[in-house]
Amino acid sequence: MKPGLKVFLFLASACAAFAFTLHKMPGLIMSRAMVKMEASGIALHDFTLAPRMTPQTQTVVRPSPDLAYSICLFEFGADLTELDIRIAAYDGMSSVSFFDAKTNNFAVHRVPEG
């Protein structure tokens, strides 16, 4: 095999692997997370407060132990075209972040401080 062909095949393989990682892995990761949330009993369209973050409870790398985390599994479809979210009064700063099926953060809403 010619050396130029080997270099071309290597670069083509590297580009294909990069494209796969960039475009397909986020969706695969989020679909696994959704399955895990459903298996954990997290209800669709309902917020669930996560336990306080400690080394024993963390499922992601380095979550802040100073923050309270909640999770809400939602799905837009023919019967759901918008979300109505009500947040309880809180004296400190809080925010709500939304992620799509490919892990893209598409909205963040800061809750006014009380």
Side-chain angles (χ1 to χ4, degrees):
M1 187 180 289
K2 294 181 181 180
L5 182 58
K6 287 182 182 181
V7 170
F8 173 77
L9 289 175
F10 173 77
L11 291 175
S13 298
C15 288
F18 175 75
F20 174 79
T21 301
L22 187 65
H23 296 288
K24 296 295 182 185
M25 287 305 289
L28 293 172
I29 291 168
M30 189 59 93
S31 66
R32 287 191 61 204
M34 302 279 265
V35 167
K36 187 173 182 178
M37 286 187 274
E38 290 173 355
S40 299
I42 294 174
L44 192 63
H45 307 140
D46 193 21
F47 279 92
T48 301
L49 184 63
R52 185 166 184 84
M53 291 297 119
T54 66
Q56 293 76 30
T57 61
Q58 71 188 42
T59 57
V60 297
V61 178
R62 302 184 73 147
S64 175
D66 299 334
L67 300 176
Y69 292 93
S70 293
I71 193 166
C72 179
L73 184 61
F74 64 91
E75 184 176 343
F76 288 109
D79 58 338
L80 180 67
T81 57
E82 67 180 55
L83 293 174
D84 180 25
I85 298 172
R86 296 183 188 114
I87 302 169
Y90 177 68
D91 290 336
M93 195 283 289
S94 60
S95 66
V96 179
S97 299
F98 299 89
F99 297 88
D100 68 11
K102 291 193 173 194
T103 71
N104 297 308
N105 178 239
F106 66 87
V108 176
H109 295 284
R110 183 175 178 266
V111 179
E113 294 183 20

